[in-house]
């Protein structure tokens, strides 16, 4: 199987992630990639977790839309309370994400982009996955 990505990423000797351009793709083993205990999980230092430069700087407009989505959801579900994620009203992230995914490129009846709702649900799902992994440790 050939993975046809534009770059392959690897750690260099200084401990930084290096992008290596790929012209022909990367050949993967038939059974997939197998990680050893030494390779999994990858530990990232604070310098290798660039929240501002690696996320907020890349997607300022998208992050703003997701924030609007959070506020609109708060006004819909708990308008009399401070902004907070009411998890009791948010349990079907992947189903809701998929419903909004079917309407990407359009605006929902509350004025929020369906794509922003997809991003919000994806972040909610990821947050719960990470929390569940941390509880399992």
């Amino acid at each position: 199987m050939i993975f046809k990505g534009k770059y392959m990423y690897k750690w260099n000797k200084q401990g930084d992630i290096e992008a290596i351009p790929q012209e022909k793709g990367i050949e993967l083993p038939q059974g997939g990639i197998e990680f050893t205990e030494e390779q999994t999980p990858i530990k990232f230092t604070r310098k290798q977790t660039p929240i501002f430069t690696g996320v907020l700087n890349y997607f300022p407009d998208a992050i703003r839309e997701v924030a609007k989505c959070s506020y609109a959801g708060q006004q819909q579900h708990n308008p009399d309370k401070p902004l907070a994620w009411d998890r009791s009203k948010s349990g079907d992230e992947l189903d809701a994400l998929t419903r909004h995914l079917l309407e990407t490129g359009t605006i929902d009846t509350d004025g929020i982009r369906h794509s922003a709702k997809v991003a919000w649900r994806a972040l909610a799902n990821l947050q719960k996955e990470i929390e569940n992994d941390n509880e399992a440790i």
Side-chain angles (χ1 to χ4, degrees), residues 31-84:
I33 299 172
E34 186 176 320
F35 292 97
T36 65
E37 285 187 30
E38 297 85 43
Q39 294 171 315
T40 308
I42 296 171
K43 303 288 185 203
F44 288 92
T45 67
R46 286 178 42 219
K47 295 277 187 186
Q48 295 162 334
T49 310
I51 297 167
F52 179 74
T53 57
V55 178
L56 298 179
N57 250 11
Y58 285 0
F59 313 111
D61 299 325
I63 297 296
R64 189 176 296 109
E65 289 300 311
V66 174
K68 287 179 188 177
C69 179
S70 286
Y71 183 81
Q74 177 72 18
Q75 296 309 303
Q76 177 185 353
H77 296 295
N78 296 308
D80 55 332
K81 295 182 181 174
L83 186 62

Side-chain angles (χ1 to χ4, degrees), residues 47-131:
K47 295 277 187 186
Q48 295 162 334
T49 310
I51 297 167
F52 179 74
T53 57
V55 178
L56 298 179
N57 250 11
Y58 285 0
F59 313 111
D61 299 325
I63 297 296
R64 189 176 296 109
E65 289 300 311
V66 174
K68 287 179 188 177
C69 179
S70 286
Y71 183 81
Q74 177 72 18
Q75 296 309 303
Q76 177 185 353
H77 296 295
N78 296 308
D80 55 332
K81 295 182 181 174
L83 186 62
W85 179 9
D86 186 349
R87 292 180 181 218
S88 69
K89 297 178 181 174
S90 174
D92 64 339
E93 269 67 46
L94 297 179
D95 284 330
L97 181 155
T98 304
R99 288 192 300 272
H100 291 297
L101 187 61
L102 293 172
E103 298 190 57
T104 56
T106 64
I107 307 293
D108 203 346
T109 56
D110 59 0
I112 302 298
R113 294 173 183 273
H114 284 284
S115 293
K117 293 181 178 190
V118 167
W120 194 97
R121 291 295 184 158
L123 289 168
N125 184 69
L126 178 58
Q127 181 67 35
K128 288 180 177 181
E129 280 184 12
I130 293 167
E131 289 172 1

